[in-house]
Structure formats: C-alpha cells, structure tokens
C-alpha cells in the first residue's frame, strides 16, 4: 500500500466516522460502555473510536492499553477506576454511581473497558444501574480477549476435527478459586478459555484432571495477547502450574485448554499490528486526526 492509497483509506475511515456522528452522536447526559479490545489499537471498532474521541469524561480500566488511551482527547477528563485482585481504586457500586452522577451532570461519558463490556467486564451491572436512574446507556462491543489472543497466536477456538464448542470461563471466583461445574468443563472435543486464571492455574488444572480431562491435554498461556510484548507458552495440564511459576507469567494473561492448542506454531516476535506489513515504509498520521 503506497502513501496515496493509505491516505485514501484514512479518508474513508473519516467519512464513516462522520456518517456515524449523524446517525448516533455521542450526547451529553449519556453513558457509552465501550470495549477497548485486548490491546492492539487496530482492533478497535470505528464506533468505539468515535465514542472515545467525542467523550467529555473517560472512566477507564487498568487493562486498556496505552495506544488506546492515546486516542482520548487531551481536553477530556480521565478517571482511573482500574481494579486488580488486591487493589480496588473504587468498588463496583461506586463505579456504577459515578457513571450516573457524571451523566446527570450533562457529560458525555465513555466507560472504557479492556476486551468486551459484556464478557467478564461487569458491563451488565453498569448498564442496569444507568437504566435504573434513567441514564441512556449505549453498548459498543469490543473484541474479547479470547478471540483476540487466540487469533494473534494462530490458535482456532473451534475446529471441525478438534473442538465443536468453546466455553469462556472465569478463573477467579468471589472467594478466590473459581466455583464452576468442573464435570461439564471436562467434556471432550471442546475448547476452554479461562480469564483471570493465572493465580489459580494449579487449582484449575487439578480440577480438570480430577473430573476426567487427560493430564496431557495441551494448554496455551497467552500473556499480553495482541500486543507487541505478546508471549505464548505451551504446556499440558499436569505441567501448567510449574510453567506459570517458572516463567513468572504476569497479567493480563489467559489460558486456552484443548486440542486446538496443538495447532500453535511459534512465528517469532510479533509485529505491532496486522497492517504494518502494508505501511511499514510510510509514516502514519496520528489516529486523533481522524475525528
């Protein structure tokens, strides 16, 4: 793709954003729950980009990547409500009410979440709270971590010969260890994706083996998926905990369990985005110029 073709592509995107402004503008007194995807800024939807660039206030999570954060207008207020296992800036109830209060003050509020708002993102609770207090709440889906990390690693979540279903599972329960139906999860010919499961990886592997999955079932650990720092480790259920400890795996990371992991091939260091191969020799205008 030459410089002229790239400029035309940017103009097409700008035209789409302008059309979106007319169809469903971001107004004051509203909340937009926006999925930021798993990290790669190029995986944002155009609707997400438009909402971010029109925001007065952005209430964001810790898993939103720096390149996505860079799209927020300089004049917008940024409020960090990120939560980790032992450190909550605000409780969920306080976040819910914050969104309502900001909208009632007439602000265009974007609640920016890693992945998708409705996949382990507490988006349903925030939407319900806004609706309870009469605040219009719009949902902009994002590519969830399971889909993004699997694609970036070349691991299909379903495959005609290997897995006829896929399950997204929380790896962290209200009391710590996940409380799930392990017998159902131990079924053959399906793919399991555990979110927030690194801390309890040993417990997860033990329970799956105890309920019937072979100890040699392949597992992929994907750290910082879709981002330039992405790291993929492969293991089996019986070696998972040791590999997580030995390699000092850090969040954000997820686990993919199932025969589809055998299709992973190490392709070497990742590029920062799928479009790089087309435009690596041409300077790219700032994404902020699209608004």
């Amino acid at each position: 793709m030459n410089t002229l073709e790239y400029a035309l592509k940017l103009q097409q995107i700008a035209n789409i954003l302008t059309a979106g402004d007319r169809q469903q503008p971001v107004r004051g007194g509203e909340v937009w729950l926006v999925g930021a995807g798993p990290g790669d800024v190029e995986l944002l939807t155009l609707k997400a980009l438009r909402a971010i660039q029109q925001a007065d206030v952005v209430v964001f999570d810790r898993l939103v990547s720096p390149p996505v954060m860079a799209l927020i207008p300089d004049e917008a207020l940024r409020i960090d409500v990120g939560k980790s296992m032992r450190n909550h800036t605000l409780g969920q109830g306080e976040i819910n009410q914050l969104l309502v209060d900001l909208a009632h003050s007439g602000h265009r509020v974007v609640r920016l979440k890693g992945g998708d708002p409705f996949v382990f993102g507490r988006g349903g609770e925030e939407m319900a709270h806004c609706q309870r207090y009469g605040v219009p709440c719009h949902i902009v889906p994002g590519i969830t971590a399971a889909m993004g990390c699997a694609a970036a690693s070349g691991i299909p979540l379903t495959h005609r010969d290997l897995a006829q279903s896929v399950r997204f599972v929380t790896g962290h329960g209200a009391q710590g260890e996940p409380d799930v139906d392990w017998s159902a999860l131990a079924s053959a010919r399906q793919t399991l994706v555990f979110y927030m499961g690194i801390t309890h990886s040993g417990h997860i592997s033990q329970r799956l083996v105890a309920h019937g999955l072979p100890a040699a079932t392949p597992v992929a650990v994907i750290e910082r998926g879709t981002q330039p720092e992405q790291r993929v480790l492969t293991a089996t259920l019986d070696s998972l905990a040791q590999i997580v400890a030995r390699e000092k795996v850090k969040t954000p990371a997820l686990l993919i369990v199932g025969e589809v992991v055998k299709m992973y091939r190490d392709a070497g260091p990742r590029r920062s985005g799928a479009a790089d191969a087309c435009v690596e020799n041409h300077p790219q205008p700032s994404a902020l110029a699209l608004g």
Side-chain angles (χ1 to χ4, degrees):
M1 182 182 294
N2 59 37
T3 303
L4 177 60
E5 290 172 333
Y6 186 69
L8 290 174
K9 180 63 68 176
L10 290 180
Q11 185 58 52
Q12 290 173 352
I13 294 173
N15 292 341
I16 293 171
L17 291 175
T18 300
D21 292 347
R22 293 193 296 268
Q23 294 169 7
Q24 195 176 14
V26 180
R27 297 186 175 89
E30 294 183 342
V31 170
W32 289 67
L33 303 184
V34 175
D40 184 348
V41 69
E42 292 184 330
L43 294 179
L44 273 181
T45 65
L46 292 174
K47 194 166 192 173
L49 175 61
R50 176 172 61 83
I52 291 169
Q53 294 187 335
Q54 294 184 5
D56 297 322
V57 183
V58 177
V59 181
F60 65 94
D61 282 347
R62 69 182 183 91
L63 294 181
V64 179
S65 68
V68 174
M69 291 294 296
L71 298 175
I72 299 173
D74 292 340
E75 62 273 17
L77 174 64
R78 305 180 185 204
I79 302 177
D80 182 357
V81 296
K83 297 191 288 286
S84 59
M85 188 175 300
R86 297 179 180 83
N87 181 22
H88 289 197
T89 306
L90 293 177
Q92 188 60 51
E94 295 172 304
I95 295 173
N96 295 347
Q97 191 57 44
L98 173 65
L99 299 177
V100 167
D101 292 343
L102 288 169
H104 280 166
S105 297
H107 294 299
R108 296 174 293 186
V109 183
V110 166
R111 174 71 169 105
L112 192 57
K113 298 170 170 289
D116 180 272
F118 282 178
V119 180
F120 302 123
R122 309 291 289 269
E125 299 170 45
E126 294 170 359
M127 179 187 68
H129 193 79
C130 288
Q131 292 171 340
R132 188 175 304 122
Y133 288 90
V135 173
C137 185
H138 308 278
I139 315 301
V140 182
I143 292 179
T144 188
M147 297 170 62
C149 293
S153 305
I155 299 174
L157 293 178
T158 62
H159 187 282
R160 184 169 59 176
D161 300 324
L162 302 174
Q164 281 70 56
S165 65
V166 58
R167 296 192 181 209
F168 298 167
V169 189
T170 177
H172 181 77
Q175 304 303 319
E177 294 179 347
D179 181 17
V180 296
D181 185 347
W182 295 105
S183 296
L185 295 183
S187 300
R189 301 178 71 81
Q190 69 175 345
T191 303
L192 306 176
V193 183
F194 285 90
Y195 288 66
M196 302 167 287
I198 298 303
T199 300
H200 301 297
S201 58
H203 176 79
I204 290 170
S205 60
Q206 290 171 9
R207 299 305 293 166
L208 289 174
V209 171
H211 283 80
L213 272 187
T217 300
V219 183
V221 182
I222 305 175
E223 183 182 81
R224 303 192 71 83
T226 78
Q227 302 182 49
E229 306 85 1
Q230 172 176 299
R231 182 169 64 143
V232 180
L233 305 171
T234 55
T236 54
L237 281 177
D238 58 355
S239 66
L240 174 61
Q242 294 92 328
I243 288 178
V244 166
R246 185 187 71 204
E247 298 295 332
K248 298 180 173 59
V249 176
K250 298 180 180 178
T251 58
L254 54 68
L255 309 175
I256 299 180
V257 180
E259 294 300 314
V260 293
V261 173
K262 291 180 178 178
M263 300 190 70
Y264 169 71
R265 298 292 183 271
D266 185 358
R270 268 184 49 77
R271 305 183 66 88
S272 60
D276 287 358
C278 297
V279 298
E280 59 184 348
N281 295 321
H282 306 294
Q284 299 187 22
S286 167
L288 288 173
L290 300 179

